[in-house]
Amino acid sequence: MKKHTFCAFALALALMIGVLNPAEACTSAVVSGKVTPDGRPLLWKNRDTDNVQNAVKYFSGEKYAFIGIVNSVDNPTEIWIGTNTAGFAIMNTQSYNLVEVQPGEERGEANGRVMKRALEVCGSIEDFKVFLDTLSKPSGIEANFGVIDAQGGAAMFEVGYYDYVMFDANDPKDAPMGYIARTNFSFSGELYEGMGYVRFMNEDVELMRAAGTGQITPAWMFSDLARCFKNQMMGIDLKDGAYHTPRTTGWFVDKDFIPRRSTGSSVVVQGVKKGENPDLTVMWTALNYPPAAVAVPLWVKNAEKMPPMVLRDPETGVSPLCDKAMTLRNRIFSCRQGGGTSDYFRWELIFNPQGTGCMQLLQGVEQTVFERSQQVIDGWYASGKVDVKQMNELYAWLEDYVTGQYAELFGI
């Protein structure tokens, strides 16, 4: 483990359930190319937020152009996961055990602005370290920042107001299984404080299994992490068939699963191998509630031509693709019988024995998206560059196919 300014405290992982703040309860991982089938690093985040209307936006940037997840507002000043023309990508999860927040302070108030600025000026993990060193202190940051770059770098930074600790996913001492998982506590923070311990257990178990068998791909991260309905504390998996009617009512409580009512997006940035063209970096993006969403590939190159379905519509103020997923999400979380009941969800609308749950139906749609897109991407890997004409054709197909499937399957 690389240490900066202070030594990391050992953190004994507590098997505890915290009271989670839905506004900032994200789940994430950074994965070394050493354990992915194609040798390319991955950066993943399920973003939980009060602002569940998310969209993708392109920025020209001071030094590098970039794309990223934003709240659906006119002029966003914050980015929550993104990648730039240098192949540098960054995401965060809010930590709750690095800083003793004083009255009147907003916890991690600079996190989103810092990521936007980092995408403008950082081309590598080394650049990001210099960037953190030169920030004014106290920085207003309390976060776990996952980063990858075009040199094959993959790391997690636990950052407080004055100091940071870096964990290298390529270093077996920091990441013996080739990945680093984080939720809403930091290993270098206060013992037994923070949030998201059960979600950490959920993702760590899945990642450990997959890392050892070479299964960690973007498609796997969406299907087995972003849409994981296991709870390791309770020892249950909602997909095992025991939670359907007539054995139960078909309802369940939204507690400590990785996808949550507050999830505004799920993104996997697929980096490049050292020596590859950074233009080949892919930002696989699913907007809003993952069981009701479809992941589509996006690139910084020619980003002005991104599919309109992922962008903020100037008339409605939301992304059309996000809005479709949110419509399904609202059907799933439809209980409104007083305080607290909005956390109950209709599991059988997501997954059922008949195979008609939205997650089941959209799985086939997303699989087609991955297969069609991967054919194009593999050609670009072979040639070493992005073919803009093919990209525009792929974007046009994605727009027609994905929106058409929502209309055909759900009437939206």
mmCIF file of all heavy atoms in Angstrom, residues 13 15-17 20 27-28 44 179 181 183 185 196-210 220 224-237 255-260:
data_model
loop_
_atom_site.group_PDB
_atom_site.id
_atom_site.type_symbol
_atom_site.label_atom_id
_atom_site.label_comp_id
_atom_site.label_asym_id
_atom_site.label_seq_id
_atom_site.Cartn_x
_atom_site.Cartn_y
_atom_site.Cartn_z
ATOM 1 N N LEU A 13 -12.923 -5.720 9.246
ATOM 2 C CA LEU A 13 -14.228 -5.552 8.611
ATOM 3 C C LEU A 13 -15.342 -6.005 9.548
ATOM 4 O O LEU A 13 -15.378 -7.151 9.987
ATOM 5 C CB LEU A 13 -14.269 -6.367 7.313
ATOM 6 C CG LEU A 13 -13.292 -5.887 6.250
ATOM 7 C CD1 LEU A 13 -13.429 -6.737 4.995
ATOM 8 C CD2 LEU A 13 -13.520 -4.430 5.938
ATOM 9 N N LEU A 15 -19.125 -6.995 10.457
ATOM 10 C CA LEU A 15 -20.350 -7.507 9.860
ATOM 11 C C LEU A 15 -21.511 -6.793 10.541
ATOM 12 O O LEU A 15 -22.124 -7.276 11.478
ATOM 13 C CB LEU A 15 -20.453 -9.014 10.047
ATOM 14 C CG LEU A 15 -19.274 -9.806 9.499
ATOM 15 C CD1 LEU A 15 -19.559 -11.298 9.629
ATOM 16 C CD2 LEU A 15 -19.014 -9.430 8.067
ATOM 17 N N MET A 16 -21.768 -5.604 10.019
ATOM 18 C CA MET A 16 -22.769 -4.772 10.666
ATOM 19 C C MET A 16 -23.639 -4.126 9.613
ATOM 20 O O MET A 16 -23.238 -3.965 8.482
ATOM 21 C CB MET A 16 -22.088 -3.683 11.496
ATOM 22 C CG MET A 16 -21.111 -2.826 10.695
ATOM 23 S SD MET A 16 -20.282 -1.555 11.662
ATOM 24 C CE MET A 16 -21.606 -0.383 11.839
ATOM 25 N N ILE A 17 -24.811 -3.740 9.976
ATOM 26 C CA ILE A 17 -25.707 -3.030 9.091
ATOM 27 C C ILE A 17 -25.796 -1.589 9.572
ATOM 28 O O ILE A 17 -26.225 -1.316 10.682
ATOM 29 C CB ILE A 17 -27.114 -3.652 9.081
ATOM 30 C CG1 ILE A 17 -27.036 -5.075 8.539
ATOM 31 C CG2 ILE A 17 -28.077 -2.825 8.258
ATOM 32 C CD1 ILE A 17 -28.375 -5.788 8.525
ATOM 33 N N LEU A 20 -28.135 3.669 6.264
ATOM 34 C CA LEU A 20 -27.551 4.234 5.056
ATOM 35 C C LEU A 20 -28.240 5.514 4.650
ATOM 36 O O LEU A 20 -29.457 5.640 4.703
ATOM 37 C CB LEU A 20 -27.654 3.220 3.912
ATOM 38 C CG LEU A 20 -26.902 1.907 4.152
ATOM 39 C CD1 LEU A 20 -27.115 0.989 2.967
ATOM 40 C CD2 LEU A 20 -25.436 2.147 4.398
ATOM 41 N N THR A 27 -21.753 1.998 -4.495
ATOM 42 C CA THR A 27 -20.976 0.763 -4.464
ATOM 43 C C THR A 27 -20.062 0.762 -5.673
ATOM 44 O O THR A 27 -20.489 1.133 -6.769
ATOM 45 C CB THR A 27 -21.910 -0.464 -4.498
ATOM 46 O OG1 THR A 27 -22.936 -0.307 -3.509
ATOM 47 C CG2 THR A 27 -21.144 -1.737 -4.237
ATOM 48 N N SER A 28 -18.790 0.350 -5.489
ATOM 49 C CA SER A 28 -17.834 0.537 -6.582
ATOM 50 C C SER A 28 -16.723 -0.502 -6.534
ATOM 51 O O SER A 28 -16.532 -1.204 -5.541
ATOM 52 C CB SER A 28 -17.207 1.931 -6.490
ATOM 53 O OG SER A 28 -16.311 2.003 -5.381
ATOM 54 N N TRP A 44 -15.903 0.557 -12.001
ATOM 55 C CA TRP A 44 -17.366 0.415 -11.910
ATOM 56 C C TRP A 44 -17.914 1.187 -10.725
ATOM 57 O O TRP A 44 -17.311 1.256 -9.667
ATOM 58 C CB TRP A 44 -17.746 -1.059 -11.749
ATOM 59 C CG TRP A 44 -19.164 -1.268 -11.315
ATOM 60 C CD1 TRP A 44 -20.295 -1.036 -12.054
ATOM 61 C CD2 TRP A 44 -19.624 -1.731 -10.038
ATOM 62 N NE1 TRP A 44 -21.422 -1.339 -11.310
ATOM 63 C CE2 TRP A 44 -21.034 -1.775 -10.083
ATOM 64 C CE3 TRP A 44 -18.961 -2.146 -8.871
ATOM 65 C CZ2 TRP A 44 -21.797 -2.185 -8.991
ATOM 66 C CZ3 TRP A 44 -19.726 -2.555 -7.788
ATOM 67 C CH2 TRP A 44 -21.132 -2.580 -7.854
ATOM 68 N N TYR A 179 -8.432 -6.824 -7.509
ATOM 69 C CA TYR A 179 -9.485 -5.808 -7.518
ATOM 70 C C TYR A 179 -9.510 -5.112 -6.164
ATOM 71 O O TYR A 179 -9.014 -5.631 -5.158
ATOM 72 C CB TYR A 179 -10.860 -6.424 -7.799
ATOM 73 C CG TYR A 179 -11.344 -7.348 -6.701
ATOM 74 C CD1 TYR A 179 -12.021 -6.860 -5.585
ATOM 75 C CD2 TYR A 179 -11.112 -8.721 -6.770
ATOM 76 C CE1 TYR A 179 -12.441 -7.701 -4.566
ATOM 77 C CE2 TYR A 179 -11.526 -9.572 -5.749
ATOM 78 C CZ TYR A 179 -12.188 -9.053 -4.657
ATOM 79 O OH TYR A 179 -12.596 -9.890 -3.647
ATOM 80 N N ALA A 181 -12.524 -3.167 -3.870
ATOM 81 C CA ALA A 181 -13.938 -2.838 -3.737
ATOM 82 C C ALA A 181 -14.113 -1.786 -2.644
ATOM 83 O O ALA A 181 -13.396 -1.792 -1.648
ATOM 84 C CB ALA A 181 -14.745 -4.086 -3.396
ATOM 85 N N THR A 183 -17.375 0.724 -0.635
ATOM 86 C CA THR A 183 -18.718 1.283 -0.512
ATOM 87 C C THR A 183 -18.580 2.635 0.181
ATOM 88 O O THR A 183 -18.001 3.548 -0.392
ATOM 89 C CB THR A 183 -19.662 0.312 0.237
ATOM 90 O OG1 THR A 183 -19.061 -0.071 1.483
ATOM 91 C CG2 THR A 183 -19.954 -0.914 -0.604
ATOM 92 N N PHE A 185 -17.194 3.405 3.392
ATOM 93 C CA PHE A 185 -16.208 3.542 4.449
ATOM 94 C C PHE A 185 -14.845 3.368 3.820
ATOM 95 O O PHE A 185 -14.712 2.868 2.702
ATOM 96 C CB PHE A 185 -16.435 2.510 5.565
ATOM 97 C CG PHE A 185 -16.238 1.081 5.135
ATOM 98 C CD1 PHE A 185 -15.006 0.451 5.263
ATOM 99 C CD2 PHE A 185 -17.297 0.357 4.589
ATOM 100 C CE1 PHE A 185 -14.825 -0.874 4.873
ATOM 101 C CE2 PHE A 185 -17.122 -0.963 4.200
ATOM 102 C CZ PHE A 185 -15.884 -1.579 4.342
ATOM 103 N N GLY A 196 -22.232 1.012 4.657
ATOM 104 C CA GLY A 196 -22.131 0.144 3.496
ATOM 105 C C GLY A 196 -21.357 -1.138 3.698
ATOM 106 O O GLY A 196 -20.873 -1.735 2.729
ATOM 107 N N TYR A 197 -21.247 -1.631 4.939
ATOM 108 C CA TYR A 197 -20.474 -2.839 5.207
ATOM 109 C C TYR A 197 -21.118 -4.084 4.579
ATOM 110 O O TYR A 197 -20.418 -4.965 4.081
ATOM 111 C CB TYR A 197 -20.293 -3.039 6.715
ATOM 112 C CG TYR A 197 -19.283 -2.091 7.334
ATOM 113 C CD1 TYR A 197 -19.642 -0.798 7.692
ATOM 114 C CD2 TYR A 197 -17.975 -2.494 7.537
ATOM 115 C CE1 TYR A 197 -18.723 0.071 8.246
ATOM 116 C CE2 TYR A 197 -17.044 -1.633 8.094
ATOM 117 C CZ TYR A 197 -17.419 -0.347 8.445
ATOM 118 O OH TYR A 197 -16.498 0.522 8.981
ATOM 119 N N VAL A 198 -22.422 -4.164 4.619
ATOM 120 C CA VAL A 198 -23.087 -5.334 4.047
ATOM 121 C C VAL A 198 -22.972 -5.306 2.524
ATOM 122 O O VAL A 198 -22.701 -6.336 1.895
ATOM 123 C CB VAL A 198 -24.558 -5.406 4.493
ATOM 124 C CG1 VAL A 198 -25.270 -6.567 3.800
ATOM 125 C CG2 VAL A 198 -24.632 -5.574 6.007
ATOM 126 N N ARG A 199 -23.158 -4.151 1.914
ATOM 127 C CA ARG A 199 -22.963 -4.060 0.462
ATOM 128 C C ARG A 199 -21.523 -4.393 0.078
ATOM 129 O O ARG A 199 -21.274 -5.003 -0.968
ATOM 130 C CB ARG A 199 -23.347 -2.676 -0.046
ATOM 131 C CG ARG A 199 -24.852 -2.501 -0.227
ATOM 132 C CD ARG A 199 -25.224 -1.132 -0.761
ATOM 133 N NE ARG A 199 -24.958 -0.084 0.203
ATOM 134 C CZ ARG A 199 -24.032 0.855 0.075
ATOM 135 N NH1 ARG A 199 -23.245 0.879 -1.001
ATOM 136 N NH2 ARG A 199 -23.867 1.767 1.016
ATOM 137 N N PHE A 200 -20.573 -4.006 0.920
ATOM 138 C CA PHE A 200 -19.183 -4.382 0.658
ATOM 139 C C PHE A 200 -19.039 -5.898 0.664
ATOM 140 O O PHE A 200 -18.376 -6.476 -0.218
ATOM 141 C CB PHE A 200 -18.254 -3.761 1.700
ATOM 142 C CG PHE A 200 -16.820 -4.190 1.549
ATOM 143 C CD1 PHE A 200 -15.979 -3.538 0.661
ATOM 144 C CD2 PHE A 200 -16.314 -5.278 2.252
ATOM 145 C CE1 PHE A 200 -14.662 -3.948 0.490
ATOM 146 C CE2 PHE A 200 -15.004 -5.696 2.099
ATOM 147 C CZ PHE A 200 -14.178 -5.026 1.211
ATOM 148 N N MET A 201 -19.629 -6.557 1.642
ATOM 149 C CA MET A 201 -19.570 -8.015 1.679
ATOM 150 C C MET A 201 -20.197 -8.617 0.429
ATOM 151 O O MET A 201 -19.662 -9.562 -0.168
ATOM 152 C CB MET A 201 -20.286 -8.547 2.917
ATOM 153 C CG MET A 201 -19.547 -8.330 4.217
ATOM 154 S SD MET A 201 -20.343 -9.238 5.575
ATOM 155 C CE MET A 201 -21.813 -8.259 5.827
ATOM 156 N N ASN A 202 -21.344 -8.056 0.025
ATOM 157 C CA ASN A 202 -22.035 -8.574 -1.155
ATOM 158 C C ASN A 202 -21.141 -8.525 -2.391
ATOM 159 O O ASN A 202 -20.995 -9.511 -3.119
ATOM 160 C CB ASN A 202 -23.311 -7.775 -1.421
ATOM 161 C CG ASN A 202 -24.330 -7.883 -0.305
ATOM 162 O OD1 ASN A 202 -24.280 -8.797 0.514
ATOM 163 N ND2 ASN A 202 -25.260 -6.952 -0.264
ATOM 164 N N GLU A 203 -20.532 -7.357 -2.644
ATOM 165 C CA GLU A 203 -19.723 -7.236 -3.856
ATOM 166 C C GLU A 203 -18.400 -7.978 -3.738
ATOM 167 O O GLU A 203 -17.904 -8.538 -4.722
ATOM 168 C CB GLU A 203 -19.476 -5.760 -4.211
ATOM 169 C CG GLU A 203 -18.616 -4.988 -3.235
ATOM 170 C CD GLU A 203 -18.125 -3.654 -3.812
ATOM 171 O OE1 GLU A 203 -17.901 -3.549 -5.037
ATOM 172 O OE2 GLU A 203 -17.951 -2.712 -3.018
ATOM 173 N N ASP A 204 -17.827 -8.007 -2.536
ATOM 174 C CA ASP A 204 -16.535 -8.670 -2.370
ATOM 175 C C ASP A 204 -16.643 -10.170 -2.650
ATOM 176 O O ASP A 204 -15.764 -10.766 -3.290
ATOM 177 C CB ASP A 204 -16.006 -8.425 -0.954
ATOM 178 C CG ASP A 204 -14.544 -8.810 -0.806
ATOM 179 O OD1 ASP A 204 -13.733 -8.450 -1.672
ATOM 180 O OD2 ASP A 204 -14.209 -9.476 0.192
ATOM 181 N N VAL A 205 -17.713 -10.789 -2.177
ATOM 182 C CA VAL A 205 -17.919 -12.219 -2.436
ATOM 183 C C VAL A 205 -18.037 -12.480 -3.933
ATOM 184 O O VAL A 205 -17.419 -13.410 -4.478
ATOM 185 C CB VAL A 205 -19.167 -12.731 -1.693
ATOM 186 C CG1 VAL A 205 -19.561 -14.120 -2.186
ATOM 187 C CG2 VAL A 205 -18.918 -12.758 -0.196
ATOM 188 N N GLU A 206 -18.816 -11.650 -4.634
ATOM 189 C CA GLU A 206 -18.998 -11.850 -6.076
ATOM 190 C C GLU A 206 -17.702 -11.602 -6.840
ATOM 191 O O GLU A 206 -17.345 -12.370 -7.754
ATOM 192 C CB GLU A 206 -20.097 -10.913 -6.590
ATOM 193 C CG GLU A 206 -21.466 -11.149 -5.976
ATOM 194 C CD GLU A 206 -21.958 -12.581 -6.142
ATOM 195 O OE1 GLU A 206 -21.912 -13.097 -7.279
ATOM 196 O OE2 GLU A 206 -22.361 -13.190 -5.134
ATOM 197 N N LEU A 207 -16.986 -10.553 -6.492
ATOM 198 C CA LEU A 207 -15.737 -10.239 -7.190
ATOM 199 C C LEU A 207 -14.675 -11.302 -6.943
ATOM 200 O O LEU A 207 -13.927 -11.664 -7.859
ATOM 201 C CB LEU A 207 -15.231 -8.868 -6.744
ATOM 202 C CG LEU A 207 -15.933 -7.664 -7.354
ATOM 203 C CD1 LEU A 207 -15.639 -6.404 -6.544
ATOM 204 C CD2 LEU A 207 -15.513 -7.465 -8.807
ATOM 205 N N MET A 208 -14.593 -11.803 -5.720
ATOM 206 C CA MET A 208 -13.577 -12.803 -5.404
ATOM 207 C C MET A 208 -13.787 -14.070 -6.233
ATOM 208 O O MET A 208 -12.844 -14.639 -6.782
ATOM 209 C CB MET A 208 -13.588 -13.127 -3.910
ATOM 210 C CG MET A 208 -12.457 -14.049 -3.477
ATOM 211 S SD MET A 208 -12.419 -14.320 -1.686
ATOM 212 C CE MET A 208 -12.058 -12.666 -1.098
ATOM 213 N N ARG A 209 -15.043 -14.500 -6.336
ATOM 214 C CA ARG A 209 -15.342 -15.679 -7.140
ATOM 215 C C ARG A 209 -14.980 -15.447 -8.601
ATOM 216 O O ARG A 209 -14.357 -16.294 -9.248
ATOM 217 C CB ARG A 209 -16.827 -16.019 -7.037
ATOM 218 C CG ARG A 209 -17.258 -16.589 -5.694
ATOM 219 C CD ARG A 209 -18.757 -16.728 -5.653
ATOM 220 N NE ARG A 209 -19.225 -17.289 -4.386
ATOM 221 C CZ ARG A 209 -20.449 -17.113 -3.905
ATOM 222 N NH1 ARG A 209 -21.330 -16.409 -4.583
ATOM 223 N NH2 ARG A 209 -20.800 -17.664 -2.760
ATOM 224 N N ALA A 210 -15.381 -14.307 -9.132
ATOM 225 C CA ALA A 210 -15.197 -14.040 -10.557
ATOM 226 C C ALA A 210 -13.740 -13.779 -10.913
ATOM 227 O O ALA A 210 -13.282 -14.138 -12.007
ATOM 228 C CB ALA A 210 -16.058 -12.852 -10.973
ATOM 229 N N TRP A 220 -20.526 -8.829 -17.193
ATOM 230 C CA TRP A 220 -20.667 -9.507 -15.904
ATOM 231 C C TRP A 220 -20.896 -8.500 -14.788
ATOM 232 O O TRP A 220 -21.704 -8.746 -13.873
ATOM 233 C CB TRP A 220 -19.412 -10.337 -15.611
ATOM 234 C CG TRP A 220 -19.456 -11.018 -14.278
ATOM 235 C CD1 TRP A 220 -19.982 -12.249 -14.003
ATOM 236 C CD2 TRP A 220 -18.995 -10.490 -13.020
ATOM 237 N NE1 TRP A 220 -19.873 -12.522 -12.659
ATOM 238 C CE2 TRP A 220 -19.267 -11.469 -12.030
ATOM 239 C CE3 TRP A 220 -18.369 -9.298 -12.649
ATOM 240 C CZ2 TRP A 220 -18.943 -11.274 -10.689
ATOM 241 C CZ3 TRP A 220 -18.059 -9.110 -11.312
ATOM 242 C CH2 TRP A 220 -18.342 -10.085 -10.354
ATOM 243 N N ASP A 224 -24.050 -9.262 -12.623
ATOM 244 C CA ASP A 224 -23.791 -9.917 -11.339
ATOM 245 C C ASP A 224 -23.436 -8.969 -10.196
ATOM 246 O O ASP A 224 -23.447 -9.393 -9.033
ATOM 247 C CB ASP A 224 -22.666 -10.941 -11.500
ATOM 248 C CG ASP A 224 -23.124 -12.179 -12.249
ATOM 249 O OD1 ASP A 224 -23.630 -12.026 -13.374
ATOM 250 O OD2 ASP A 224 -22.981 -13.290 -11.720
ATOM 251 N N LEU A 225 -23.128 -7.723 -10.497
ATOM 252 C CA LEU A 225 -22.864 -6.748 -9.438
ATOM 253 C C LEU A 225 -23.959 -5.684 -9.389
ATOM 254 O O LEU A 225 -24.642 -5.532 -8.377
ATOM 255 C CB LEU A 225 -21.497 -6.078 -9.641
ATOM 256 C CG LEU A 225 -20.269 -6.890 -9.270
ATOM 257 C CD1 LEU A 225 -19.014 -6.034 -9.432
ATOM 258 C CD2 LEU A 225 -20.345 -7.421 -7.844
ATOM 259 N N ALA A 226 -24.121 -4.959 -10.479
ATOM 260 C CA ALA A 226 -25.087 -3.856 -10.489
ATOM 261 C C ALA A 226 -26.499 -4.328 -10.205
ATOM 262 O O ALA A 226 -27.325 -3.565 -9.694
ATOM 263 C CB ALA A 226 -25.036 -3.136 -11.836
ATOM 264 N N ARG A 227 -26.792 -5.603 -10.529
ATOM 265 C CA ARG A 227 -28.141 -6.145 -10.331
ATOM 266 C C ARG A 227 -28.132 -7.335 -9.362
ATOM 267 O O ARG A 227 -28.930 -8.262 -9.502
ATOM 268 C CB ARG A 227 -28.733 -6.550 -11.681
ATOM 269 C CG ARG A 227 -28.768 -5.398 -12.692
ATOM 270 C CD ARG A 227 -29.343 -5.821 -14.023
ATOM 271 N NE ARG A 227 -29.314 -4.707 -14.966
ATOM 272 C CZ ARG A 227 -28.537 -4.678 -16.057
ATOM 273 N NH1 ARG A 227 -27.740 -5.688 -16.345
ATOM 274 N NH2 ARG A 227 -28.573 -3.623 -16.862
ATOM 275 N N CYS A 228 -27.227 -7.281 -8.395
ATOM 276 C CA CYS A 228 -27.103 -8.369 -7.417
ATOM 277 C C CYS A 228 -28.131 -8.209 -6.299
ATOM 278 O O CYS A 228 -28.149 -7.187 -5.612
ATOM 279 C CB CYS A 228 -25.691 -8.377 -6.830
ATOM 280 S SG CYS A 228 -25.425 -9.646 -5.577
ATOM 281 N N PHE A 229 -28.981 -9.218 -6.122
ATOM 282 C CA PHE A 229 -29.982 -9.176 -5.058
ATOM 283 C C PHE A 229 -29.670 -10.209 -3.975
ATOM 284 O O PHE A 229 -30.552 -10.873 -3.449
ATOM 285 C CB PHE A 229 -31.378 -9.398 -5.636
ATOM 286 C CG PHE A 229 -31.954 -8.153 -6.263
ATOM 287 C CD1 PHE A 229 -31.803 -7.922 -7.622
ATOM 288 C CD2 PHE A 229 -32.609 -7.209 -5.494
ATOM 289 C CE1 PHE A 229 -32.320 -6.780 -8.206
ATOM 290 C CE2 PHE A 229 -33.134 -6.063 -6.065
ATOM 291 C CZ PHE A 229 -32.987 -5.837 -7.430
ATOM 292 N N LYS A 230 -28.389 -10.310 -3.644
ATOM 293 C CA LYS A 230 -27.958 -11.137 -2.523
ATOM 294 C C LYS A 230 -27.696 -10.244 -1.319
ATOM 295 O O LYS A 230 -27.327 -9.081 -1.465
ATOM 296 C CB LYS A 230 -26.685 -11.901 -2.873
ATOM 297 C CG LYS A 230 -26.848 -12.907 -4.002
ATOM 298 C CD LYS A 230 -25.543 -13.600 -4.316
ATOM 299 C CE LYS A 230 -25.706 -14.579 -5.485
ATOM 300 N NZ LYS A 230 -24.432 -15.252 -5.821
ATOM 301 N N ASN A 231 -27.885 -10.804 -0.145
ATOM 302 C CA ASN A 231 -27.560 -10.120 1.096
ATOM 303 C C ASN A 231 -26.768 -11.102 1.945
ATOM 304 O O ASN A 231 -27.329 -12.073 2.468
ATOM 305 C CB ASN A 231 -28.822 -9.655 1.815
ATOM 306 C CG ASN A 231 -28.529 -8.864 3.071
ATOM 307 O OD1 ASN A 231 -27.816 -9.324 3.954
ATOM 308 N ND2 ASN A 231 -29.094 -7.668 3.164
ATOM 309 N N GLN A 232 -25.465 -10.886 2.058
ATOM 310 C CA GLN A 232 -24.592 -11.823 2.758
ATOM 311 C C GLN A 232 -24.873 -11.872 4.254
ATOM 312 O O GLN A 232 -24.684 -12.910 4.888
ATOM 313 C CB GLN A 232 -23.128 -11.448 2.507
ATOM 314 C CG GLN A 232 -22.690 -11.543 1.056
ATOM 315 C CD GLN A 232 -22.786 -12.948 0.499
ATOM 316 O OE1 GLN A 232 -22.570 -13.917 1.220
ATOM 317 N NE2 GLN A 232 -23.099 -13.063 -0.784
ATOM 318 N N MET A 233 -25.326 -10.780 4.836
ATOM 319 C CA MET A 233 -25.651 -10.771 6.254
ATOM 320 C C MET A 233 -26.821 -11.707 6.556
ATOM 321 O O MET A 233 -26.814 -12.476 7.521
ATOM 322 C CB MET A 233 -25.986 -9.352 6.711
ATOM 323 C CG MET A 233 -26.455 -9.257 8.151
ATOM 324 S SD MET A 233 -25.176 -9.668 9.345
ATOM 325 C CE MET A 233 -24.279 -8.117 9.384
ATOM 326 N N MET A 234 -27.830 -11.676 5.684
ATOM 327 C CA MET A 234 -29.015 -12.486 5.880
ATOM 328 C C MET A 234 -28.886 -13.870 5.234
ATOM 329 O O MET A 234 -29.690 -14.767 5.504
ATOM 330 C CB MET A 234 -30.238 -11.758 5.304
ATOM 331 C CG MET A 234 -30.534 -10.432 5.976
ATOM 332 S SD MET A 234 -31.912 -9.551 5.196
ATOM 333 C CE MET A 234 -33.278 -10.604 5.648
ATOM 334 N N GLY A 235 -27.892 -14.039 4.359
ATOM 335 C CA GLY A 235 -27.708 -15.316 3.689
ATOM 336 C C GLY A 235 -28.794 -15.626 2.684
ATOM 337 O O GLY A 235 -29.228 -16.784 2.556
ATOM 338 N N ILE A 236 -29.243 -14.600 1.947
ATOM 339 C CA ILE A 236 -30.335 -14.805 0.993
ATOM 340 C C ILE A 236 -29.937 -14.329 -0.395
ATOM 341 O O ILE A 236 -29.037 -13.502 -0.567
ATOM 342 C CB ILE A 236 -31.623 -14.069 1.429
ATOM 343 C CG1 ILE A 236 -31.402 -12.549 1.444
ATOM 344 C CG2 ILE A 236 -32.101 -14.567 2.792
ATOM 345 C CD1 ILE A 236 -32.675 -11.754 1.646
ATOM 346 N N ASP A 237 -30.622 -14.863 -1.383
ATOM 347 C CA ASP A 237 -30.531 -14.424 -2.769
ATOM 348 C C ASP A 237 -31.953 -14.424 -3.303
ATOM 349 O O ASP A 237 -32.583 -15.482 -3.428
ATOM 350 C CB ASP A 237 -29.640 -15.372 -3.586
ATOM 351 C CG ASP A 237 -29.520 -14.957 -5.047
ATOM 352 O OD1 ASP A 237 -30.172 -13.967 -5.448
ATOM 353 O OD2 ASP A 237 -28.779 -15.624 -5.789
ATOM 354 N N LYS A 255 -33.140 -3.075 1.239
ATOM 355 C CA LYS A 255 -32.182 -2.912 2.327
ATOM 356 C C LYS A 255 -30.899 -3.673 2.020
ATOM 357 O O LYS A 255 -30.887 -4.909 1.990
ATOM 358 C CB LYS A 255 -32.781 -3.413 3.640
ATOM 359 C CG LYS A 255 -31.838 -3.338 4.840
ATOM 360 C CD LYS A 255 -31.498 -1.902 5.208
ATOM 361 C CE LYS A 255 -30.660 -1.819 6.463
ATOM 362 N NZ LYS A 255 -30.268 -0.436 6.781
ATOM 363 N N ASP A 256 -29.828 -2.943 1.763
ATOM 364 C CA ASP A 256 -28.479 -3.491 1.628
ATOM 365 C C ASP A 256 -28.258 -4.370 0.406
ATOM 366 O O ASP A 256 -27.273 -5.111 0.348
ATOM 367 C CB ASP A 256 -28.046 -4.238 2.893
ATOM 368 C CG ASP A 256 -27.732 -3.285 4.032
ATOM 369 O OD1 ASP A 256 -27.223 -2.183 3.748
ATOM 370 O OD2 ASP A 256 -27.994 -3.615 5.197
ATOM 371 N N PHE A 257 -29.153 -4.312 -0.595
ATOM 372 C CA PHE A 257 -28.826 -4.891 -1.882
ATOM 373 C C PHE A 257 -27.977 -3.877 -2.649
ATOM 374 O O PHE A 257 -28.002 -2.674 -2.357
ATOM 375 C CB PHE A 257 -30.090 -5.221 -2.678
ATOM 376 C CG PHE A 257 -30.985 -6.207 -1.986
ATOM 377 C CD1 PHE A 257 -32.243 -5.835 -1.533
ATOM 378 C CD2 PHE A 257 -30.573 -7.513 -1.786
ATOM 379 C CE1 PHE A 257 -33.066 -6.737 -0.893
ATOM 380 C CE2 PHE A 257 -31.386 -8.429 -1.139
ATOM 381 C CZ PHE A 257 -32.644 -8.040 -0.684
ATOM 382 N N ILE A 258 -27.237 -4.321 -3.636
ATOM 383 C CA ILE A 258 -26.389 -3.389 -4.392
ATOM 384 C C ILE A 258 -27.231 -2.427 -5.229
ATOM 385 O O ILE A 258 -26.989 -1.219 -5.204
ATOM 386 C CB ILE A 258 -25.345 -4.151 -5.220
ATOM 387 C CG1 ILE A 258 -24.324 -4.808 -4.280
ATOM 388 C CG2 ILE A 258 -24.630 -3.211 -6.198
ATOM 389 C CD1 ILE A 258 -23.274 -5.652 -4.969
ATOM 390 N N PRO A 259 -28.230 -2.907 -5.997
ATOM 391 C CA PRO A 259 -29.122 -1.937 -6.656
ATOM 392 C C PRO A 259 -30.146 -1.439 -5.646
ATOM 393 O O PRO A 259 -30.690 -2.228 -4.864
ATOM 394 C CB PRO A 259 -29.782 -2.772 -7.758
ATOM 395 C CG PRO A 259 -29.765 -4.171 -7.238
ATOM 396 C CD PRO A 259 -28.544 -4.293 -6.364
ATOM 397 N N ARG A 260 -30.418 -0.139 -5.656
ATOM 398 C CA ARG A 260 -31.302 0.444 -4.659
ATOM 399 C C ARG A 260 -32.251 1.427 -5.319
ATOM 400 O O ARG A 260 -31.991 1.902 -6.431
ATOM 401 C CB ARG A 260 -30.472 1.156 -3.578
ATOM 402 C CG ARG A 260 -29.390 0.260 -2.982
ATOM 403 C CD ARG A 260 -28.511 1.011 -2.006
ATOM 404 N NE ARG A 260 -29.237 1.298 -0.788
ATOM 405 C CZ ARG A 260 -29.201 2.464 -0.146
ATOM 406 N NH1 ARG A 260 -28.483 3.453 -0.639
ATOM 407 N NH2 ARG A 260 -29.861 2.639 0.967
#
